[in-house]
Amino acid sequence: MKSAEAELLAELYVDLKGRRDKRLDWITIATKCKELSNLYGGFREAASKLGVSLQLVRSIVSLLDLPAGVQTMVKDRSILFDAAQRLNTLKDPRRMVRVARQIRNLPSRQQREIIQFAKGHPDADLVDFRKRVAHKETRTERIHLLMIPVDDLTFNALQALSRKGESTVQGTILKAVHQLVSQGTKP
């Protein structure tokens, strides 16, 4: 094995089999995958040498089909790999560039959402949709689950109270806990 070939394999192996955050950008990885594929006479052999799937190698190399402006955004990591692959499914290169400009520097989920919208609504205003997506409130509320052992007598009493209040046992207990907390009294 020649040293240039070994170096190429090693570089790609580290990024494709290693860390989630890649040392190299995806366009550089795609260029190196293509170089390796050319060296071995096809994607299948390159994938085999790298220990990855044929589909992954094809998918990575397909990033080189993106318009130059979009490749630049992928190279500078303002468009993520997943989004770049999805952009590649848009047929019109000018549309790819317009969509890429709208999704750059957004989180992955928002990039995917805008691309999906662009695919389904080719004539829609992406600027407006981007504003809506980017400004959605993404507040996540944590919920804690409490398990409280109760005897049959207590549980039956809670069921009776729940029926009287037209609620569930859980709803009745939750209401009682909220009242207790809002009053700030000790149990």
Side-chain angles (χ1 to χ4, degrees), residues 50-64:
L50 289 167
V52 298
S53 72
L54 171 63
Q55 181 56 38
L56 178 61
V57 173
R58 279 187 179 152
S59 177
I60 293 169
V61 173
S62 75
L63 297 179
L64 299 175

Side-chain angles (χ1 to χ4, degrees), residues 8 11-12 15-16 22-36 60-61 63-64 71-72 74-77:
L8 189 58
E11 270 191 315
L12 286 169
D15 271 326
L16 296 180
K22 306 300 181 203
R23 294 173 316 111
L24 301 173
D25 65 89
W26 282 108
I27 297 301
T28 302
I29 292 171
T31 303
K32 289 180 181 287
C33 280
K34 184 172 184 177
E35 185 181 334
L36 194 66
I60 293 169
V61 173
L63 297 179
L64 299 175
Q71 285 188 36
T72 300
V74 174
K75 192 167 183 65
D76 71 18
R77 301 173 193 246

Side-chain angles (χ1 to χ4, degrees), residues 14-156:
V14 167
D15 271 326
L16 296 180
K17 299 293 258 185
R19 315 175 331 210
R20 182 177 169 96
D21 56 326
K22 306 300 181 203
R23 294 173 316 111
L24 301 173
D25 65 89
W26 282 108
I27 297 301
T28 302
I29 292 171
T31 303
K32 289 180 181 287
C33 280
K34 184 172 184 177
E35 185 181 334
L36 194 66
S37 296
N38 290 341
L39 184 68
Y40 289 130
F43 296 138
R44 186 175 309 282
E45 186 65 24
S48 174
K49 292 281 187 179
L50 289 167
V52 298
S53 72
L54 171 63
Q55 181 56 38
L56 178 61
V57 173
R58 279 187 179 152
S59 177
I60 293 169
V61 173
S62 75
L63 297 179
L64 299 175
D65 296 334
L66 290 166
V70 177
Q71 285 188 36
T72 300
M73 289 181 245
V74 174
K75 192 167 183 65
D76 71 18
R77 301 173 193 246
S78 59
I79 292 181
L80 305 171
F81 177 66
D82 179 56
Q85 288 180 302
R86 291 169 191 260
L87 280 171
N88 222 356
T89 65
L90 299 173
K91 301 299 179 210
D92 179 11
R94 290 172 298 175
R95 181 81 170 152
M96 285 183 203
V97 172
R98 284 194 303 270
V99 174
R101 286 183 182 139
Q102 294 305 314
I103 67 169
R104 83 173 146 217
N105 297 319
L106 289 176
S108 179
R109 181 192 57 76
Q110 291 177 351
Q111 288 185 355
R112 287 191 309 268
E113 194 173 341
I114 291 170
I115 294 167
Q116 190 63 33
F117 178 80
K119 285 176 77 171
H121 304 87
D123 298 324
D125 180 14
L126 291 177
V127 175
D128 182 53
F129 187 73
R130 181 192 196 280
K131 287 177 186 173
R132 285 188 284 156
V133 168
H135 291 93
K136 275 185 187 174
E137 192 171 329
T138 56
R139 182 175 167 248
T140 304
E141 185 176 344
R142 291 183 62 177
I143 296 177
H144 301 274
L145 180 64
L146 303 175
M147 293 180 63
I148 305 167
V150 294
D151 59 27
D152 284 339
L153 186 62
T154 305
F155 186 75
N156 291 337

